[in-house]
Amino acid sequence: MFMLGFIIILCCLFYLPYYFLKKRKNKEKLFPKKMFYGFLFSGILLFSIGVSLDDGSSTIIAELREENETITEEASKLKEQIKEVEENTDELHELIETLEGKIDGLVDEKDQLTKEITALEETNAELVKEVASLNETNDELKDKNKQLKNDNKKLEETNKSTSSSSNVSSNSNSASTNNSTSSSSSNSNAISTTDTTNEDCNIKGSNTGIYHVPGSTYYNQTKNVAQWFCSEQKAENAGYRAPKR
């Protein structure tokens, strides 16, 4: 509005020299007072209204420009922040991919460890069985050692009694006679015992100091027979014991 009024006033001002030039050529030309003053008054009015309105609008425009500049700066900052967020997002994606790879590796290691633990448990179970078997063998060896000690003690006692009897010279001849008689009878008894062993004495006395009766768990497996017995009582009297199972 301000500019429109200013243009109308300028047009009126330029019309005056134009009119006077035309008036010199044509003196009968009349001055259009109503139209001139109407345009001039309209231009002055529009110019005045524009000037009065320009004071508030210029302030508003300045404020709007400042707000626009502020918004532009904030927008540029937001663009920079968005760019940083996008870069951070790319880094996070790479980190996630790296972590997923590590997780897959850990899962594979877990599966491998599970297999190894299963194999170790199986090996442990086998070792437990072997230890139980070794403990049983150890018990048998302890019993055998005990039996051997008892046999050794009996032999020592026998040797002592033999040495004491040899010192008696008056009974040497009768002793030799009796020994020959007893040896002949013992031979006959041995022959009869051998016959009985082959027929009825089927209890096995192993070299571990354990006897096994027919039908027991280890009877058929026992090959190292040290002595045969006709009854369990005789086997126990000889120092042997029954198996634990």
Side-chain angles (χ1 to χ4, degrees), residues 6-28:
F6 181 73
I7 291 170
I8 292 172
I9 292 170
L10 287 176
C11 290
C12 291
L13 293 175
F14 282 115
Y15 180 75
L16 288 174
Y18 176 76
Y19 172 74
F20 285 116
L21 289 174
K22 291 290 185 180
K23 184 69 175 174
R24 285 182 182 182
K25 293 180 180 181
N26 187 5
K27 293 182 178 180
E28 293 180 356

Side-chain angles (χ1 to χ4, degrees), residues 122-236:
E122 293 176 354
T123 304
N124 187 31
E126 293 177 356
L127 290 174
V128 168
K129 292 180 180 178
E130 291 180 359
V131 168
S133 178
L134 290 173
N135 288 331
E136 185 177 355
T137 304
N138 189 27
D139 292 337
E140 293 177 354
L141 290 173
K142 285 181 179 180
D143 294 336
K144 182 180 179 181
N145 188 23
K146 185 177 179 180
Q147 180 63 32
L148 290 173
K149 287 181 179 180
N150 292 329
D151 293 340
N152 189 20
K153 187 176 180 180
K154 290 179 180 180
L155 288 173
E156 289 178 354
E157 292 177 354
T158 303
N159 290 329
K160 289 180 181 179
S161 62
T162 303
S163 62
S164 62
S165 62
S166 62
N167 292 326
V168 182
S169 59
S170 60
N171 296 325
S172 60
N173 292 327
S174 60
S176 61
T177 304
N178 291 328
N179 286 332
S180 61
T181 306
S182 60
S183 61
S184 61
S185 61
S186 62
N187 290 330
S188 62
N189 290 329
I191 294 171
S192 61
T193 303
T194 304
D195 295 335
T196 307
T197 300
N198 293 329
E199 294 177 356
D200 298 327
C201 300
N202 54 3
I203 298 175
K204 296 179 179 180
S206 65
N207 56 7
T208 59
I210 300 173
Y211 68 88
H212 302 278
V213 298
S216 61
T217 304
Y218 300 101
Y219 183 82
N220 293 327
Q221 299 177 5
T222 303
K223 304 298 182 182
N224 52 349
V225 181
Q227 191 174 356
W228 293 87
F229 298 100
C230 299
S231 64
E232 295 182 14
Q233 185 64 40
K234 290 182 179 180
E236 291 177 357

Side-chain angles (χ1 to χ4, degrees), residues 66-79:
E66 291 178 357
E67 291 180 358
N68 187 25
E69 291 176 356
T70 304
I71 291 170
T72 303
E73 292 178 356
E74 292 179 353
S76 62
K77 290 180 180 179
L78 287 174
K79 287 181 180 179

Side-chain angles (χ1 to χ4, degrees), residues 61-117:
I61 290 170
E63 292 177 354
L64 290 174
R65 285 179 178 175
E66 291 178 357
E67 291 180 358
N68 187 25
E69 291 176 356
T70 304
I71 291 170
T72 303
E73 292 178 356
E74 292 179 353
S76 62
K77 290 180 180 179
L78 287 174
K79 287 181 180 179
E80 291 178 356
Q81 291 178 357
I82 290 169
K83 186 176 180 180
E84 291 178 357
V85 170
E86 289 176 351
E87 292 176 355
N88 293 330
T89 302
D90 294 334
E91 292 178 357
L92 288 174
H93 284 306
E94 292 177 357
L95 181 60
I96 289 170
E97 290 177 356
T98 303
L99 291 175
E100 287 178 350
K102 290 182 179 180
I103 289 170
D104 293 336
L106 291 173
V107 170
D108 294 336
E109 290 180 1
K110 180 184 176 183
D111 294 337
Q112 184 66 29
L113 289 174
T114 302
K115 292 179 181 179
E116 291 179 358
I117 288 170

